[in-house]
Amino acid sequence: MVRFLQAKGWNVVGTYLAPDTDSSWELPSLRFVQCDLRDARRVKELFQGFEFSHVFHLAAQSLPSLSWKDPVSTFESNIMGSLHLFDAIRHIKRPPVVVSACSSAEYGHVPASAAPVKENHPLRPLHPYGISKVCLDILALGYSRNWNIPTVNIRLFNTTGPGKTNDAPSDFVRQLVRVRKGLQPPVIKVGNLKSRRAFLDVSDAVRGFYLAATSGKRGQVYNLCAATTHEIGQLLRTAIKLSGLNVRVKRSSHLMRLFDEKIIFGSTRKFRRDTGWKPRLSLEQTLISMFDYWERVT
């Protein structure tokens, strides 16, 4: 997001939580400042020190598995952190446009007959992370209507690309690169290969957030999702083909998820209508860029 906005000529203030976060990029018109959204005073100081036209609210604890292990921290980060953000903004005379990263996890289990799911589908989250994102959705819309804060909520579906971890594409590609470099045997450990996902390239997602900020209708909720779904097994076969390796696939119980929906797929008709957005990169192009990334860092 930072690099995209820099290319657009925006002056950017990026926040980070921990001192070890990589905040040393040498880019023009860019500042990084430490800010823990759970600290209400620090958030207010941030908005007293800068005059913002737009805020991209991406900070969250975003792993469903971790939300089960530590629901308190998940709610503190995702709900209280968001509350502190909006509370600081509502005291500004000219409040910035706030684009909030919500989640497809808010829909919970969606039957195949209802896919691609639309924004008016009932919200039935299955885990603490999804519940917290429902709360953020309601919170943002409430402040938009009652305190005149211009907000746009993005329900983000599966997104991947260079730098992503803890999802099937990154795990497959990382393992294949490790095999190529002789760091592990030619065995790829996998979880459920039958589920279907619509993996959106991170660059298409970033462009979507930008268009939400500049063209999205205030007080609206939009799905942001790839145009087609792929079975995880198909994704794996494509990654193996791109690697040029001969490997064996082994099912691993620890990679099986407690809740693993058969299909996660969202309709983007409303978002495309209002902003003109559409995804540009194919899954194969995304995987190629991920191979390049893991080759550099492994």
Side-chain angles (χ1 to χ4, degrees), residues 117 119 223-226 266-273 277 279:
V117 62
E119 289 86 351
N223 289 335
L224 190 58
C225 183
S267 170
T268 57
R269 179 178 297 180
K270 177 181 175 182
F271 190 55
R272 288 185 281 117
R273 180 197 67 203
W277 175 89

Side-chain angles (χ1 to χ4, degrees), residues 226-291:
T228 57
T229 65
H230 297 272
E231 191 178 74
I232 299 299
Q234 177 190 352
L235 167 69
L236 174 61
R237 291 189 292 273
T238 302
I240 292 173
K241 181 180 178 180
L242 290 172
S243 74
L245 296 171
N246 183 16
V247 296
R248 181 166 63 92
V249 176
K250 181 180 180 181
R251 188 71 58 87
S252 179
S253 59
H254 81 276
L255 293 175
M256 303 297 289
R257 295 184 175 182
L258 181 62
F259 292 101
D260 198 2
E261 299 93 324
K262 291 182 179 180
I263 183 170
I264 298 179
F265 186 31
S267 170
T268 57
R269 179 178 297 180
K270 177 181 175 182
F271 190 55
R272 288 185 281 117
R273 180 197 67 203
D274 287 357
T275 68
W277 175 89
K278 63 179 179 179
R280 295 174 178 172
L281 297 178
S282 68
L283 180 61
E284 184 169 313
Q285 288 173 304
T286 301
L287 288 172
I288 290 172
S289 67
M290 295 175 78
F291 270 107

Side-chain angles (χ1 to χ4, degrees), residues 78-249:
N78 298 2
I79 298 177
M80 293 308 300
S82 300
L83 177 61
H84 294 154
L85 176 71
F86 285 110
D87 190 50
I89 291 174
R90 75 183 178 95
H91 295 289
I92 299 174
K93 290 183 179 180
R94 296 180 61 185
V97 175
V98 182
V99 181
S100 294
C102 298
S103 175
S104 63
E106 296 175 51
Y107 296 114
H109 172 70
V110 177
S113 59
V117 62
K118 297 179 176 63
E119 289 86 351
N120 60 358
H121 190 85
L123 304 181
R124 296 167 179 163
L126 297 174
H127 41 68
Y129 168 66
I131 294 171
S132 72
K133 284 301 183 178
V134 170
C135 293
L136 169 57
D137 224 326
I138 296 171
L139 186 68
L141 294 178
Y143 272 109
S144 176
R145 292 164 185 165
N146 294 308
W147 298 104
N148 294 319
I149 297 176
T151 67
V152 182
N153 288 0
I154 296 295
R155 290 178 185 159
L156 188 62
F157 284 68
N158 294 88
T159 303
T160 196
K164 184 70 171 71
T165 59
N166 296 310
D167 72 354
S170 65
D171 191 46
F172 295 160
V173 173
R174 180 183 60 83
Q175 289 188 75
L176 288 165
V177 169
R178 285 178 56 82
V179 171
R180 181 183 292 165
K181 293 189 173 186
L183 299 176
Q184 75 176 58
V187 178
I188 306 301
K189 296 181 179 180
V190 303
N192 180 16
L193 297 179
K194 296 298 183 181
S195 58
R196 299 189 68 87
R197 299 290 184 266
F199 284 104
L200 183 67
D201 190 281
V202 63
S203 62
D204 284 330
V206 165
R207 186 166 46 83
F209 272 84
Y210 171 79
L211 288 173
T214 56
S215 304
K217 293 183 179 180
R218 309 306 181 235
Q220 290 296 311
V221 174
Y222 296 105
N223 289 335
L224 190 58
C225 183
T228 57
T229 65
H230 297 272
E231 191 178 74
I232 299 299
Q234 177 190 352
L235 167 69
L236 174 61
R237 291 189 292 273
T238 302
I240 292 173
K241 181 180 178 180
L242 290 172
S243 74
L245 296 171
N246 183 16
V247 296
R248 181 166 63 92
V249 176

